[in-house]
Amino acid sequence: MRSREEVDATLQVAKLDLAELLPAAQCLSFSAQADAADCCLLQLEPELCAELEAGRSLIIRGDKDEHAVLCSKDKTYDMKIADTSNMLLFLPACETPEQLCADTPPSVIYTQIAGFSNNYWEVRRCRPKLKKLKKLLMENPYEGPDGEKEETLTNPKYTTEDLLDQIQASEEEIMKQLEVLKACQVEGYWRILDFDYEMKLLNHVTQLIYTESWSFSKVPLSICLQELGPLEPKEMIGHILRSYGRQTVDEGEIIFEMDEEKICRATAQMLLQNAVKFSLSEFQEVWQQSVPEGMATRLDQLKGLALVDRSSRPETISLLNVEDLPEDSLERFNSLFTIREKWTEADIAPYIQDLCSSKQTIGALLTKYARSSTQNGIKVYNSRRPIS
């Protein structure tokens, strides 16, 4: 331990003016228990610091084979180790210049170093990793009460806690994605409806609307439950109405305004799922005939679900669901350029829109992962790398 005289002598050798320094000097020494392995530093932006100061939790999520992410209640952050050339010291009892008084007599404060590190964890906002959510739920899709055979009872099912434990995303992001996937809780477990069963439920509702001559903008919940309850569980009828409609209240009664685009889109998926390619003109004709009377089909309803090939003769359409594409940006582009060598921005945009962060545009993504050229006066994009 240094004495005050030794401190002053060192300052003299360094040619520092004592008048310009605070009178208290802090003498640092390593404690016997100090170890770099005992401590980890996490650098947080003010928003995340505020979460901790408010008493809320930050959770690190990821399996052994996954890169760890940090999750708040509503956001996901990538975690990376950053090395520093300066050793970082942990000083629990260290006093800052603001805490030291300038009018106290010269003294020496002896402070022990509790730990040290040459790196720290930095976090950066990232897209939630939600592809695994659909993968888990599709292990055991719900086919209705009659479809719950003995073998399905042993298939995996997931509660909210199970999903929070396995999905690398915040709770709010997971709940929003469950809504996008039209998942529902059955006996406390989250389930995705088998698509055929989902279309069966939707058909029951649209047939009832037609039979009762209701407007698609005013479908009463109570009568739907009363009429369709003997055919399917009332919870499923309510779920399909919420999935394909918007709930409102009219004179104290819950009604639903059915979403034309969602219904037309689901009908198109049903027609395309069993065909490799479909003649575009034939598809449009069959599609319009298949949707409920009064609804109009348009190709722009199928963005991110179906791909039109205008270069073939006749023109064709095929199923290509953005939900089935890789989550990683590079893998996504490789997959798209394997499917089609050259893309227009209008065609590829629905399949990369979800890759854009709040500060990134589709144009920036295309600049990074694709090369542009002009073909027949139209700007097209192809891969920057050879696709095997």
Side-chain angles (χ1 to χ4, degrees), residues 250-301:
D250 183 23
E251 297 179 356
E253 182 179 16
I254 297 175
I255 63 170
F256 284 88
E257 180 182 347
M258 304 308 291
D259 190 311
E260 178 177 283
E261 181 169 328
K262 286 184 178 180
I263 294 173
C264 290
R265 189 178 172 91
T267 305
Q269 183 174 346
M270 178 187 67
L271 295 172
L272 291 170
Q273 66 178 353
N274 295 319
V276 177
K277 284 190 178 180
F278 212 125
S279 167
L280 181 60
S281 58
E282 290 179 14
F283 167 76
Q284 287 180 292
E285 184 179 345
V286 174
W287 183 28
Q288 182 60 59
Q289 293 170 354
S290 302
V291 299
E293 188 177 346
M295 290 192 172
T297 59
R298 305 183 314 276
L299 286 177
D300 64 3
Q301 295 167 337

Side-chain angles (χ1 to χ4, degrees), residues 368-388:
K368 183 175 181 179
Y369 293 102
R371 180 182 289 108
S372 65
S373 59
T374 303
Q375 183 174 294
N376 300 326
I378 300 172
K379 192 174 186 179
V380 294
Y381 295 88
N382 63 291
S383 177
R384 282 187 172 276
R385 304 167 182 83
I387 302 294
S388 56

Side-chain angles (χ1 to χ4, degrees), residues 20-253:
E20 296 178 354
L21 304 176
L22 290 171
Q26 298 193 66
C27 183
L28 308 182
S29 62
F30 286 93
S31 70
Q33 293 78 32
D35 189 340
D38 289 342
C39 305
C40 288
L41 282 174
L42 183 63
Q43 186 182 61
L44 297 178
E45 56 186 47
E47 184 181 0
L48 289 176
C49 285
E51 289 280 314
L52 293 177
E53 290 167 354
R56 291 185 283 271
S57 299
L58 298 178
I59 303 171
I60 296 175
R61 292 194 170 115
D63 287 338
K64 291 181 180 179
D65 60 341
E66 296 173 328
H67 192 83
V69 297
L70 183 74
C71 298
S72 64
K73 184 73 174 175
D74 60 347
K75 294 181 179 68
T76 304
Y77 298 83
D78 196 19
M79 297 181 68
K80 290 185 179 178
I81 291 180
D83 294 320
T84 173
S85 57
N86 298 319
M87 182 179 288
L88 303 170
L89 305 177
F90 307 145
L91 304 166
C94 183
E95 295 187 52
T96 63
E98 292 76 19
Q99 294 172 306
L100 297 171
C101 298
D103 54 359
T104 56
S107 61
V108 178
I109 301 172
Y110 298 101
T111 304
Q112 283 205 322
I113 299 167
F116 57 92
S117 178
N118 287 313
N119 54 52
Y120 60 92
W121 287 95
E122 60 180 7
V123 298
R124 185 176 298 174
R125 180 79 186 275
C126 68
R127 289 181 289 109
K129 297 170 172 51
L130 295 166
K131 292 290 182 183
K132 187 177 178 182
L133 178 59
K134 183 178 180 180
K135 180 183 177 183
L136 292 178
L137 296 182
M138 286 303 292
E139 293 173 354
N140 189 14
Y142 185 67
E143 299 177 359
D146 296 336
E148 294 289 274
K149 304 173 184 136
E150 288 186 14
E151 58 265 25
T152 65
L153 297 177
T154 60
N155 287 344
K157 297 177 185 177
Y158 301 94
T159 63
T160 300
E161 287 304 314
D162 294 332
L163 296 178
L164 288 173
D165 188 50
Q166 296 195 48
I167 305 302
Q168 291 185 287
S170 69
E171 182 174 356
E172 189 172 304
E173 289 166 330
I174 290 173
M175 299 311 291
K176 283 181 180 178
Q177 186 65 13
L178 286 168
E179 187 177 336
V180 169
L181 294 173
K182 299 193 280 291
C184 63
Q185 284 186 300
V186 179
E187 298 178 350
Y189 296 98
W190 285 101
R191 309 288 295 276
I192 285 183
L193 302 190
D194 175 78
F195 187 67
D196 290 339
Y197 181 60
E198 182 180 327
M199 294 307 295
K200 179 183 175 184
L201 291 170
L202 182 59
N203 187 58
H204 282 324
V205 171
T206 55
Q207 285 294 327
L208 182 62
I209 293 171
Y210 177 76
T211 303
E212 299 290 338
S213 300
W214 291 333
S215 165
F216 280 104
S217 62
K218 200 170 184 180
V219 179
L221 173 63
S222 59
I223 300 178
C224 285
L225 297 179
Q226 179 183 325
E227 294 295 324
L228 300 176
L231 301 176
E232 298 291 346
K234 291 183 179 180
E235 295 81 8
M236 291 296 106
I237 301 302
H239 173 66
I240 210 70
L241 284 168
R242 288 189 294 274
S243 297
Y244 286 91
R246 185 175 63 88
Q247 181 177 316
T248 58
V249 178
D250 183 23
E251 297 179 356
E253 182 179 16

Side-chain angles (χ1 to χ4, degrees), residues 333 345 348-350 352-354 356 360-367:
F333 274 92
E345 183 172 345
I348 202 171
I352 60 173
Q353 180 68 59
D354 62 312
C356 297
Q360 195 172 36
T361 64
I362 288 175
L365 270 178
L366 288 171
T367 299

